[in-house]
Amino acid sequence: MILTGPGIAAARAAGEITIEPYEPARLSPNAYDWRLGDTLRICDTDLDAATPTPYAETTIPASGLVLQPGVLYLGVTHERTGSETYAQFLNGDRTVGGLGIWVHVSAPLGHQGHAIHWTLEIRAARPVRVHPRMTFGKLVFLHCLGTPASYQLHGLKYTATAGIDISRLYEELAGGTT
């Protein structure tokens, strides 16, 4: 089940949900409107799953930055979100999708117990200018059934994610760089 906007506000007030920074006006009927952070990692070379992803990092200027088709951009959410009680689901929204931006290519599930600034995998269909802290998508909170299983207790490779994180699949591949 998805929490309603008032349900998100109540769970946050009860300490069951973290949203930092939090603005009540960003609540919608069934979600919280999250924003793009200030930094992008630009991956515009050939990628190899067995090696760390090369990138150039840039701060998005107040005047914006034009995203180009064919380039993978790794971004970060402005908000840090999480919950030991609820799982999260992060998506783009219709407004940004209408600009031809794929906000989050994969991995929309935020596990119970994982409080993070989300790494975003961003692609553009056409050249499009983005701005720091613009509304970029919606985050929903999902009620979990069964025994709680906090992500932080599993010792997985993204447990300590503090910002933009590249793919670390190379850690799993035989012969991959470690």
Side-chain angles (χ1 to χ4, degrees):
M1 296 188 310
I2 295 175
L3 290 182
T4 63
I8 293 169
R12 185 187 166 279
E16 296 173 345
I17 288 176
T18 298
I19 302 174
E20 300 168 346
Y22 175 74
E23 295 177 14
R26 302 191 77 68
L27 286 170
S28 59
N30 297 305
Y32 187 84
D33 294 341
W34 58 270
R35 294 170 287 178
L36 177 63
D38 300 336
T39 306
L40 290 175
R41 289 186 176 173
I42 303 168
C43 309
D44 62 356
T45 63
D46 291 341
L47 304 178
D48 181 344
T51 61
T53 302
Y55 61 86
E57 190 165 293
T58 189
T59 299
I60 305 169
S63 59
L65 179 79
V66 176
L67 304 182
Q68 298 295 328
V71 177
L72 171 63
Y73 297 90
L74 297 177
V76 66
T77 58
H78 176 63
E79 291 83 4
R80 179 180 169 273
T81 66
S83 176
E84 286 289 342
T85 305
Y86 302 97
Q88 306 166 77
F89 199 80
L90 182 119
N91 272 315
D93 67 11
R94 171 69 184 98
T95 305
V96 173
L99 294 172
I101 300 171
W102 288 274
V103 167
H104 203 52
V105 177
S106 67
L109 179 63
H111 296 284
Q112 209 176 358
H114 203 187
I116 57 172
H117 287 271
W118 291 71
T119 296
L120 308 169
E121 305 110 11
I122 304 167
R123 299 290 304 253
R126 309 255 323 138
V128 60
R129 183 175 302 275
V130 296
H131 299 269
R133 300 190 185 178
M134 66 185 272
T135 298
F136 222 58
K138 297 199 176 288
L139 180 70
V140 298
F141 289 88
L142 307 166
H143 180 73
C144 300
L145 298 176
T147 305
S150 178
Y151 187 86
Q152 295 307 109
L153 300 179
H154 289 278
L156 302 171
K157 65 181 167 272
Y158 297 108
T159 300
T161 297
I164 302 172
D165 207 351
I166 61 169
S167 169
R168 297 202 331 238
L169 184 59
Y170 60 88
E171 295 175 3
E172 298 176 22
L173 296 175
T177 306
T178 58

